[in-house]
Coordinates of all heavy atoms in Angstrom, one line a residue:
M1 N 8.9 190.8 -25.8 CA 8.2 191.0 -27.0 C 6.9 190.3 -27.0 O 6.8 189.1 -26.5 CB 9.1 190.5 -28.1 CG 8.6 190.7 -29.4 SD 9.7 190.1 -30.7 CE 10.4 191.6 -31.3
D2 N 5.8 190.8 -27.5 CA 4.5 190.2 -27.5 C 4.4 189.1 -28.5 O 5.0 189.2 -29.6 CB 3.5 191.3 -27.8 CG 2.1 190.9 -27.6 OD1 1.9 189.8 -27.1 OD2 1.2 191.6 -28.0
E3 N 3.7 188.0 -28.2 CA 3.6 186.9 -29.0 C 3.1 187.3 -30.4 O 3.4 186.7 -31.5 CB 2.6 185.8 -28.4 CG 3.2 185.1 -27.2 CD 4.4 184.2 -27.6 OE1 4.3 183.5 -28.5 OE2 5.3 184.2 -26.8
K4 N 2.1 188.3 -30.5 CA 1.5 188.7 -31.7 C 2.5 189.4 -32.6 O 2.4 189.5 -33.8 CB 0.3 189.5 -31.5 CG -0.8 188.7 -30.8 CD -2.0 189.6 -30.6 CE -3.1 188.8 -29.9 NZ -4.3 189.6 -29.7
S5 N 3.5 190.0 -31.9 CA 4.4 190.8 -32.8 C 5.7 190.1 -33.2 O 6.6 190.6 -33.9 CB 4.9 192.0 -32.0 OG 5.6 191.6 -30.9
K6 N 5.7 188.8 -32.8 CA 6.9 187.9 -33.2 C 6.7 187.4 -34.6 O 5.6 187.1 -35.0 CB 7.1 186.8 -32.2 CG 7.6 187.1 -30.8 CD 8.0 186.0 -30.0 CE 8.6 186.4 -28.7 NZ 8.9 185.2 -27.8
S7 N 7.8 187.3 -35.2 CA 7.7 186.7 -36.6 C 7.6 185.2 -36.5 O 7.9 184.6 -35.5 CB 9.0 187.1 -37.4 OG 10.1 186.4 -36.9
P8 N 7.1 184.5 -37.5 CA 7.0 183.1 -37.4 C 8.3 182.4 -37.1 O 8.4 181.4 -36.4 CB 6.5 182.7 -38.8 CG 5.8 183.9 -39.3 CD 6.5 185.1 -38.7
I9 N 9.4 182.9 -37.6 CA 10.8 182.3 -37.3 C 11.1 182.4 -35.8 O 11.6 181.5 -35.2 CB 11.8 183.0 -38.2 CG1 11.6 182.6 -39.6 CG2 13.2 182.6 -37.7 CD1 12.5 183.3 -40.6
E10 N 10.8 183.6 -35.2 CA 11.0 183.8 -33.8 C 10.1 182.9 -33.0 O 10.6 182.3 -32.0 CB 10.7 185.3 -33.4 CG 11.8 186.2 -34.0 CD 11.3 187.7 -33.7 OE1 10.2 188.0 -33.8 OE2 12.3 188.5 -33.5
L11 N 8.9 182.7 -33.4 CA 7.9 181.8 -32.7 C 8.5 180.4 -32.8 O 8.5 179.6 -31.8 CB 6.5 181.8 -33.3 CG 5.7 183.1 -32.9 CD1 4.5 183.2 -33.7 CD2 5.5 183.2 -31.5
M12 N 9.0 180.0 -34.0 CA 9.5 178.6 -34.2 C 10.7 178.5 -33.3 O 11.0 177.4 -32.7 CB 9.8 178.4 -35.7 CG 10.4 177.0 -36.0 SD 9.1 175.7 -35.6 CE 8.4 175.7 -37.1
A13 N 11.6 179.5 -33.3 CA 12.8 179.4 -32.4 C 12.4 179.2 -31.0 O 13.1 178.4 -30.2 CB 13.7 180.6 -32.7
D14 N 11.5 180.0 -30.5 CA 11.0 179.8 -29.0 C 10.5 178.4 -28.8 O 10.8 177.9 -27.7 CB 9.9 180.9 -28.8 CG 10.5 182.3 -28.7 OD1 11.7 182.4 -28.6 OD2 9.7 183.3 -28.7
L15 N 9.7 178.0 -29.7 CA 9.1 176.6 -29.5 C 10.2 175.5 -29.6 O 10.2 174.6 -28.7 CB 8.1 176.3 -30.7 CG 6.8 177.2 -30.5 CD1 5.9 176.9 -31.7 CD2 6.0 176.8 -29.3
L16 N 11.2 175.7 -30.5 CA 12.2 174.7 -30.5 C 13.1 174.8 -29.2 O 13.5 173.8 -28.7 CB 13.1 175.0 -31.7 CG 12.6 174.5 -33.0 CD1 13.4 174.9 -34.2 CD2 12.4 173.0 -33.1
A17 N 13.3 176.0 -28.7 CA 14.1 176.2 -27.4 C 13.2 175.5 -26.3 O 13.9 174.8 -25.5 CB 14.3 177.6 -27.1
T18 N 12.0 175.7 -26.2 CA 11.1 175.1 -25.2 C 11.2 173.6 -25.3 O 11.3 172.8 -24.3 CB 9.7 175.6 -25.3 OG1 9.7 177.0 -25.1 CG2 8.8 174.9 -24.2
M19 N 11.0 173.0 -26.5 CA 11.1 171.6 -26.8 C 12.5 171.0 -26.4 O 12.5 170.0 -25.7 CB 10.8 171.3 -28.2 CG 10.7 169.8 -28.6 SD 10.2 169.5 -30.2 CE 11.6 170.1 -31.2
T20 N 13.5 171.8 -26.7 CA 14.8 171.3 -26.4 C 15.0 171.2 -24.9 O 15.5 170.3 -24.3 CB 16.0 172.2 -27.0 OG1 15.7 172.2 -28.4 CG2 17.3 171.7 -26.7
A21 N 14.6 172.3 -24.2 CA 14.7 172.3 -22.7 C 13.9 171.1 -22.1 O 14.4 170.5 -21.2 CB 14.2 173.7 -22.2
R22 N 12.7 170.9 -22.7 CA 11.9 169.8 -22.1 C 12.6 168.4 -22.4 O 12.6 167.5 -21.5 CB 10.5 169.7 -22.7 CG 9.6 170.9 -22.2 CD 8.3 170.8 -22.8 NE 7.4 171.9 -22.4 CZ 6.2 172.1 -22.9 NH1 5.8 171.4 -23.9 NH2 5.5 173.1 -22.5
A23 N 13.2 168.3 -23.5 CA 13.8 167.0 -23.9 C 15.0 166.8 -23.0 O 15.3 165.7 -22.5 CB 14.3 167.0 -25.4
V24 N 15.8 167.9 -22.7 CA 17.0 167.8 -21.8 C 16.5 167.3 -20.5 O 17.1 166.5 -19.8 CB 17.8 169.1 -21.8 CG1 18.8 169.1 -20.7 CG2 18.5 169.3 -23.2
E25 N 15.4 168.0 -19.9 CA 14.9 167.6 -18.6 C 14.5 166.2 -18.6 O 14.7 165.5 -17.6 CB 13.8 168.7 -18.2 CG 13.2 168.4 -16.9 CD 14.2 168.4 -15.7 OE1 15.3 169.0 -15.8 OE2 13.8 167.8 -14.7
A26 N 13.8 165.8 -19.6 CA 13.3 164.4 -19.6 C 14.4 163.4 -19.7 O 14.3 162.3 -19.0 CB 12.4 164.2 -20.9
E27 N 15.5 163.7 -20.4 CA 16.7 162.8 -20.4 C 17.3 162.8 -19.0 O 17.8 161.7 -18.5 CB 17.7 163.3 -21.4 CG 17.2 163.0 -22.9 CD 18.2 163.6 -23.9 OE1 19.1 164.3 -23.5 OE2 18.0 163.2 -25.0
R28 N 17.3 163.9 -18.4 CA 18.0 164.0 -17.0 C 17.1 163.1 -16.1 O 17.7 162.3 -15.3 CB 18.0 165.5 -16.5 CG 18.7 165.6 -15.1 CD 18.5 166.9 -14.5 NE 17.1 167.1 -14.1 CZ 16.5 166.5 -13.1 NH1 17.1 165.8 -12.3 NH2 15.2 166.8 -12.8
Q29 N 15.8 163.3 -16.1 CA 14.9 162.4 -15.3 C 15.1 161.0 -15.5 O 15.1 160.1 -14.6 CB 13.5 162.9 -15.4 CG 13.2 164.2 -14.8 CD 11.8 164.7 -15.0 OE1 11.0 164.1 -15.8 NE2 11.4 165.9 -14.4
R30 N 15.2 160.6 -16.8 CA 15.4 159.3 -17.2 C 16.7 158.7 -16.7 O 16.7 157.6 -16.1 CB 15.4 159.1 -18.8 CG 15.6 157.7 -19.2 CD 16.2 157.6 -20.6 NE 17.5 158.2 -20.6 CZ 18.1 158.7 -21.7 NH1 17.4 158.7 -22.8 NH2 19.3 159.3 -21.6
D31 N 17.7 159.5 -16.8 CA 19.1 159.0 -16.3 C 19.0 158.9 -14.8 O 19.5 157.9 -14.2 CB 20.2 160.0 -16.6 CG 20.4 160.0 -18.1 OD1 20.0 159.1 -18.8 OD2 21.1 161.0 -18.6
E32 N 18.3 159.8 -14.0 CA 18.2 159.7 -12.6 C 17.4 158.4 -12.2 O 17.8 157.7 -11.3 CB 17.5 161.0 -12.1 CG 17.5 161.1 -10.7 CD 17.0 162.5 -10.2 OE1 17.5 163.5 -10.5 OE2 15.9 162.4 -9.6
A33 N 16.3 158.3 -12.9 CA 15.5 157.0 -12.7 C 16.3 155.7 -12.9 O 16.2 154.8 -12.2 CB 14.2 157.1 -13.5
Q34 N 17.1 155.8 -14.0 CA 17.9 154.6 -14.3 C 18.9 154.2 -13.2 O 19.1 153.1 -12.8 CB 18.5 154.7 -15.7 CG 19.4 153.6 -16.0 CD 18.6 152.3 -16.3 OE1 17.5 152.4 -16.9 NE2 19.1 151.2 -15.9
K35 N 19.6 155.3 -12.8 CA 20.6 155.3 -11.6 C 19.9 154.8 -10.4 O 20.4 153.9 -9.7 CB 21.2 156.6 -11.4 CG 22.3 156.6 -10.3 CD 22.9 157.9 -10.1 CE 23.8 157.9 -8.9 NZ 24.2 159.2 -8.4
S36 N 18.8 155.3 -10.0 CA 17.9 154.9 -8.8 C 17.6 153.4 -9.0 O 17.7 152.6 -8.0 CB 16.8 155.8 -8.7 OG 16.0 155.3 -7.6
S37 N 17.2 153.0 -10.1 CA 16.8 151.6 -10.4 C 18.0 150.7 -10.2 O 17.9 149.7 -9.6 CB 16.2 151.5 -11.8 OG 15.9 150.1 -12.1
D38 N 19.1 151.1 -10.8 CA 20.3 150.3 -10.6 C 20.7 150.1 -9.2 O 21.1 149.1 -8.7 CB 21.5 150.8 -11.5 CG 21.3 150.8 -12.9 OD1 20.3 150.0 -13.4 OD2 21.9 151.4 -13.7
E39 N 20.7 151.3 -8.4 CA 21.0 151.3 -7.0 C 20.1 150.4 -6.2 O 20.5 149.6 -5.4 CB 21.0 152.6 -6.5 CG 22.2 153.5 -6.9 CD 22.1 155.0 -6.5 OE1 21.1 155.4 -5.9 OE2 23.1 155.7 -6.8
W40 N 18.8 150.5 -6.6 CA 17.9 149.6 -5.9 C 18.1 148.2 -6.1 O 18.0 147.3 -5.2 CB 16.4 150.0 -6.3 CG 15.4 149.1 -5.6 CD1 14.8 149.3 -4.5 CD2 14.9 147.9 -6.2 NE1 13.9 148.3 -4.2 CE2 13.9 147.4 -5.3 CE3 15.1 147.1 -7.3 CZ2 13.2 146.2 -5.5 CZ3 14.5 146.0 -7.6 CH2 13.5 145.5 -6.6
Y41 N 18.3 147.8 -7.4 CA 18.6 146.4 -7.7 C 19.8 145.9 -7.0 O 19.8 144.8 -6.5 CB 18.7 146.3 -9.2 CG 18.8 144.8 -9.6 CD1 17.7 143.9 -9.5 CD2 19.9 144.3 -10.2 CE1 17.8 142.6 -9.8 CE2 20.1 142.9 -10.5 CZ 19.0 142.1 -10.3 OH 19.0 140.8 -10.7
Q42 N 20.9 146.7 -7.0 CA 22.1 146.3 -6.2 C 21.7 146.1 -4.8 O 22.2 145.1 -4.2 CB 23.2 147.3 -6.5 CG 24.5 146.9 -5.8 CD 25.1 145.6 -6.4 OE1 25.1 145.3 -7.6 NE2 25.5 144.7 -5.5
H43 N 21.0 147.0 -4.2 CA 20.7 146.9 -2.8 C 19.9 145.7 -2.5 O 20.1 144.9 -1.6 CB 19.9 148.2 -2.3 CG 19.4 148.2 -1.0 ND1 20.3 148.3 0.1 CD2 18.2 148.0 -0.4 CE1 19.6 148.3 1.3 NE2 18.3 148.0 0.9
W44 N 18.9 145.4 -3.4 CA 18.1 144.1 -3.3 C 19.0 142.9 -3.4 O 18.8 142.0 -2.6 CB 17.0 144.1 -4.4 CG 16.2 142.9 -4.3 CD1 15.1 142.6 -3.4 CD2 16.4 141.7 -5.1 NE1 14.7 141.4 -3.7 CE2 15.4 140.7 -4.7 CE3 17.4 141.3 -6.0 CZ2 15.3 139.4 -5.2 CZ3 17.3 140.0 -6.5 CH2 16.2 139.1 -6.1
Q45 N 19.9 142.9 -4.3 CA 20.9 141.7 -4.4 C 21.6 141.5 -3.2 O 21.8 140.4 -2.7 CB 21.7 141.9 -5.7 CG 21.1 141.6 -7.0 CD 22.0 141.7 -8.2 OE1 22.9 142.6 -8.2 NE2 21.9 140.9 -9.1
D46 N 22.2 142.6 -2.6 CA 22.9 142.5 -1.4 C 22.1 141.9 -0.3 O 22.5 141.1 0.5 CB 23.5 143.9 -1.0 CG 24.5 144.4 -1.9 OD1 25.1 143.6 -2.8 OD2 24.8 145.6 -1.9
K47 N 20.9 142.4 -0.1 CA 20.0 142.0 0.9 C 19.6 140.5 0.7 O 19.4 139.8 1.7 CB 18.7 142.9 1.0 CG 19.0 144.2 1.5 CD 19.6 144.2 2.9 CE 19.9 145.6 3.4 NZ 20.5 145.6 4.8
D48 N 19.3 140.2 -0.6 CA 19.0 138.8 -0.9 C 20.1 137.8 -0.5 O 19.8 136.8 0.0 CB 18.6 138.7 -2.4 CG 18.0 137.4 -2.8 OD1 17.0 137.0 -2.0 OD2 18.4 136.7 -3.7
A49 N 21.3 138.2 -0.9 CA 22.5 137.4 -0.5 C 22.6 137.2 1.0 O 22.9 136.1 1.5 CB 23.8 138.0 -1.1
A50 N 22.5 138.3 1.7 CA 22.5 138.3 3.2 C 21.4 137.4 3.7 O 21.7 136.6 4.6 CB 22.4 139.7 3.8
L51 N 20.2 137.4 3.2 CA 19.1 136.6 3.6 C 19.4 135.2 3.4 O 19.2 134.3 4.3 CB 17.8 137.0 2.9 CG 16.6 136.1 3.2 CD1 16.2 136.2 4.6 CD2 15.5 136.5 2.3
K52 N 19.9 134.8 2.3 CA 20.3 133.4 2.0 C 21.3 132.9 2.9 O 21.3 131.7 3.4 CB 20.7 133.2 0.5 CG 19.5 133.4 -0.5 CD 19.9 133.3 -1.9 CE 18.7 133.4 -2.8 NZ 19.0 133.5 -4.1
E53 N 22.3 133.7 3.3 CA 23.3 133.4 4.2 C 22.8 133.1 5.5 O 23.1 132.2 6.2 CB 24.5 134.5 4.2 CG 25.6 134.1 5.1 CD 26.6 135.3 5.2 OE1 26.8 136.0 4.1 OE2 27.3 135.4 6.2
A54 N 21.9 134.1 6.0 CA 21.3 133.9 7.3 C 20.4 132.7 7.4 O 20.4 132.0 8.4 CB 20.5 135.1 7.6
E55 N 19.7 132.3 6.2 CA 18.8 131.1 6.2 C 19.7 129.9 6.4 O 19.3 129.0 7.0 CB 18.0 131.1 4.9 CG 16.9 132.1 5.0 CD 16.1 132.2 3.6 OE1 16.7 131.8 2.6 OE2 14.9 132.6 3.7
A56 N 20.8 129.9 5.7 CA 21.7 128.7 5.8 C 22.3 128.6 7.2 O 22.4 127.4 7.7 CB 22.9 128.9 4.8
K57 N 22.7 129.7 7.8 CA 23.2 129.6 9.2 C 22.0 129.1 10.2 O 22.3 128.3 11.0 CB 23.7 131.0 9.7 CG 25.0 131.4 9.1 CD 25.4 132.8 9.6 CE 26.7 133.2 9.0 NZ 27.1 134.6 9.5
L58 N 20.9 129.6 9.9 CA 19.7 129.2 10.7 C 19.5 127.7 10.6 O 19.2 127.0 11.5 CB 18.5 130.0 10.4 CG 17.2 129.6 11.2 CD1 17.4 129.8 12.7 CD2 16.0 130.5 10.7
A59 N 19.6 127.2 9.3 CA 19.3 125.8 9.1 C 20.4 125.0 9.8 O 20.1 123.9 10.4 CB 19.3 125.5 7.6
D60 N 21.6 125.5 9.7 CA 22.7 124.7 10.5 C 22.5 124.7 12.0 O 22.7 123.7 12.7 CB 24.1 125.4 10.2 CG 24.6 125.2 8.8 OD1 23.9 124.3 8.1 OD2 25.5 125.9 8.3
E61 N 22.1 125.9 12.5 CA 21.7 126.0 14.0 C 20.7 125.0 14.4 O 20.7 124.4 15.4 CB 21.5 127.5 14.4 CG 22.6 128.4 14.4 CD 23.7 128.1 15.4 OE1 23.3 127.6 16.5 OE2 24.8 128.2 15.1
I62 N 19.6 125.0 13.6 CA 18.5 124.1 13.9 C 18.9 122.7 13.8 O 18.6 121.9 14.7 CB 17.3 124.4 12.8 CG1 16.7 125.8 13.1 CG2 16.3 123.2 12.9 CD1 15.7 126.2 12.1
A63 N 19.7 122.3 12.9 CA 20.2 120.9 12.8 C 21.1 120.6 14.1 O 20.9 119.5 14.7 CB 21.0 120.7 11.5
E64 N 21.9 121.5 14.4 CA 22.8 121.4 15.6 C 21.9 121.2 16.8 O 22.2 120.4 17.7 CB 23.8 122.5 15.7 CG 24.7 122.3 16.8 CD 25.8 123.4 16.9 OE1 26.1 124.0 15.8 OE2 26.3 123.7 18.0
H65 N 20.9 122.1 17.0 CA 20.0 122.0 18.1 C 19.2 120.7 18.2 O 19.1 120.1 19.3 CB 18.9 123.2 18.0 CG 17.9 123.2 19.0 ND1 18.2 123.5 20.3 CD2 16.6 122.9 18.9 CE1 17.1 123.4 21.1 NE2 16.1 123.0 20.2
Q66 N 18.8 120.2 17.1 CA 18.1 118.9 17.0 C 19.0 117.7 17.5 O 18.6 116.8 18.2 CB 17.5 118.6 15.6 CG 16.5 119.6 15.1 CD 15.2 119.4 16.0 OE1 14.9 118.5 16.7 NE2 14.4 120.5 15.9
A67 N 20.3 117.8 17.0 CA 21.2 116.8 17.4 C 21.5 116.9 18.9 O 21.5 115.8 19.6 CB 22.5 117.0 16.7
T68 N 21.7 118.1 19.4 CA 21.9 118.3 20.9 C 20.7 117.8 21.7 O 20.8 117.1 22.7 CB 22.2 119.7 21.2 OG1 23.3 120.1 20.4 CG2 22.4 119.9 22.7
R69 N 19.5 118.1 21.2 CA 18.3 117.6 21.9 C 18.2 116.1 21.9 O 17.9 115.5 22.9 CB 17.1 118.1 21.1 CG 16.2 119.1 21.9 CD 15.1 119.6 21.0 NE 13.8 119.1 21.4 CZ 12.7 119.4 20.9 NH1 12.6 120.3 20.0 NH2 11.6 118.9 21.4
Q70 N 18.6 115.5 20.8 CA 18.5 114.0 20.8 C 19.5 113.4 21.8 O 19.2 112.5 22.4 CB 18.8 113.5 19.3 CG 18.7 112.1 19.1 CD 17.3 111.5 19.5 OE1 16.3 112.2 19.2 NE2 17.2 110.3 20.0
Q71 N 20.7 114.1 21.8 CA 21.7 113.6 22.8 C 21.3 113.7 24.2 O 21.5 112.9 25.0 CB 23.0 114.3 22.6 CG 23.8 114.0 21.3 CD 24.9 114.9 21.0 OE1 25.1 115.9 21.7 NE2 25.7 114.6 20.0
L72 N 20.6 114.8 24.5 CA 20.1 115.0 25.8 C 19.0 114.0 26.2 O 19.0 113.5 27.3 CB 19.5 116.5 25.9 CG 20.6 117.6 26.1 CD1 19.8 118.9 26.1 CD2 21.3 117.4 27.5
R73 N 18.2 113.7 25.2 CA 17.1 112.7 25.5 C 17.7 111.4 25.8 O 17.3 110.6 26.7 CB 16.2 112.6 24.2 CG 15.2 113.7 24.2 CD 14.2 113.5 23.0 NE 13.3 114.6 22.9 CZ 13.0 115.1 21.8 NH1 13.5 114.6 20.6 NH2 12.2 116.1 21.7
E74 N 18.7 111.0 25.0 CA 19.4 109.7 25.2 C 20.1 109.7 26.6 O 20.0 108.7 27.3 CB 20.4 109.4 24.1 CG 19.7 109.1 22.8 CD 20.7 109.1 21.6 OE1 22.0 109.1 21.8 OE2 20.2 109.0 20.4
A75 N 20.7 110.8 26.9 CA 21.5 110.9 28.2 C 20.4 110.8 29.4 O 20.6 110.1 30.3 CB 22.2 112.2 28.3
L76 N 19.3 111.5 29.2 CA 18.2 111.3 30.2 C 17.6 109.9 30.3 O 17.4 109.4 31.5 CB 17.1 112.3 30.0 CG 17.4 113.8 30.3 CD1 16.3 114.7 29.8 CD2 17.6 114.0 31.8
K77 N 17.5 109.3 29.2 CA 17.0 107.9 29.2 C 18.0 107.0 29.9 O 17.6 106.2 30.8 CB 16.8 107.4 27.8 CG 15.4 107.3 27.4 CD 15.3 106.6 26.0 CE 14.4 107.3 25.2 NZ 14.3 106.7 23.9
N78 N 19.2 107.2 29.6 CA 20.3 106.4 30.2 C 20.4 106.6 31.7 O 20.5 105.7 32.5 CB 21.7 106.7 29.6 CG 21.8 106.1 28.2 OD1 21.0 105.2 27.8 ND2 22.7 106.6 27.4
Q79 N 20.2 107.9 32.2 CA 20.3 108.2 33.5 C 19.1 107.6 34.2 O 19.2 107.1 35.3 CB 20.3 109.8 33.7 CG 20.5 110.2 35.1 CD 20.6 111.7 35.2 OE1 20.3 112.4 34.3 NE2 21.1 112.2 36.4
E80 N 17.9 107.7 33.6 CA 16.7 107.1 34.3 C 16.9 105.6 34.4 O 16.5 105.0 35.4 CB 15.5 107.5 33.5 CG 15.1 108.9 33.6 CD 14.0 109.3 32.6 OE1 13.4 108.4 31.8 OE2 13.5 110.4 32.7
G81 N 17.5 105.0 33.4 CA 17.7 103.6 33.4 C 18.7 103.2 34.5 O 18.5 102.2 35.2
D82 N 19.7 104.0 34.7 CA 20.7 103.7 35.7 C 20.1 104.0 37.2 O 20.4 103.1 38.0 CB 21.9 104.7 35.6 CG 22.8 104.4 34.4 OD1 22.7 103.3 33.8 OD2 23.6 105.3 34.0
Q83 N 19.2 104.8 37.3 CA 18.6 105.1 38.6 C 17.6 103.9 38.9 O 17.6 103.5 40.0 CB 17.8 106.4 38.6 CG 18.8 107.7 38.6 CD 17.9 108.9 38.6 OE1 16.7 108.9 38.4 NE2 18.7 110.1 38.8
E84 N 16.9 103.4 37.9 CA 16.0 102.3 38.1 C 16.8 101.0 38.4 O 16.4 100.2 39.3 CB 15.2 102.1 36.9 CG 14.1 103.1 36.7 CD 13.3 103.0 35.4 OE1 13.5 101.9 34.7 OE2 12.6 103.9 35.0
N85 N 18.0 100.9 37.9 CA 18.8 99.7 38.1 C 19.7 99.8 39.3 O 20.2 98.9 39.9 CB 19.7 99.4 36.9 CG 18.9 98.9 35.7 OD1 17.8 98.4 35.8 ND2 19.3 99.2 34.5
G86 N 19.9 101.1 39.7 CA 21.0 101.3 40.7 C 20.4 101.4 42.1 O 20.6 100.8 43.1

């Protein structure tokens, strides 16, 4: 049917149908964006927790390495002292 031959009620019904379809699509996109946002935030939280755990392990390894290095230095000093005295 031609736009000019439609009655005002038919035009209003068409416009309301178009507006309703757009609103439904906008709500679907909003829901999809919200879901994506929630998934991203959960992913970020998981990665942040893993990073903090890795940083703690690294700090422990560094501390252990420093202690081992200090022990090796002391052992080398003692060995050099023994060789000088021996």
Side-chain angles (χ1 to χ4, degrees):
M1 188 179 256
D2 189 6
E3 291 291 320
K4 293 181 181 180
S5 64
K6 287 187 177 181
S7 71
I9 293 175
E10 290 172 326
L11 289 173
M12 182 64 88
D14 288 346
L15 291 173
L16 285 173
T18 301
M19 186 175 67
T20 301
R22 287 181 182 172
V24 167
E25 178 61 18
E27 287 176 352
R28 185 195 65 76
Q29 289 176 354
R30 180 206 59 205
D31 293 345
E32 188 176 297
Q34 180 67 41
K35 181 182 175 194
S36 176
S37 173
D38 291 344
E39 288 173 354
W40 176 87
Y41 185 68
Q42 183 61 45
H43 178 72
W44 178 82
Q45 284 183 323
D46 293 343
K47 292 296 180 184
D48 188 51
L51 173 63
K52 287 179 180 175
E53 182 180 332
E55 286 174 337
K57 285 181 181 178
L58 179 61
D60 291 344
E61 288 293 325
I62 289 172
E64 187 177 328
H65 175 71
Q66 294 296 338
T68 303
R69 244 175 107 174
Q70 185 61 33
Q71 290 172 351
L72 282 172
R73 283 186 184 136
E74 290 173 7
L76 285 173
K77 250 189 227 179
N78 289 341
Q79 188 178 13
E80 287 173 1
D82 288 346
Q83 286 177 356
E84 289 174 7
N85 294 332

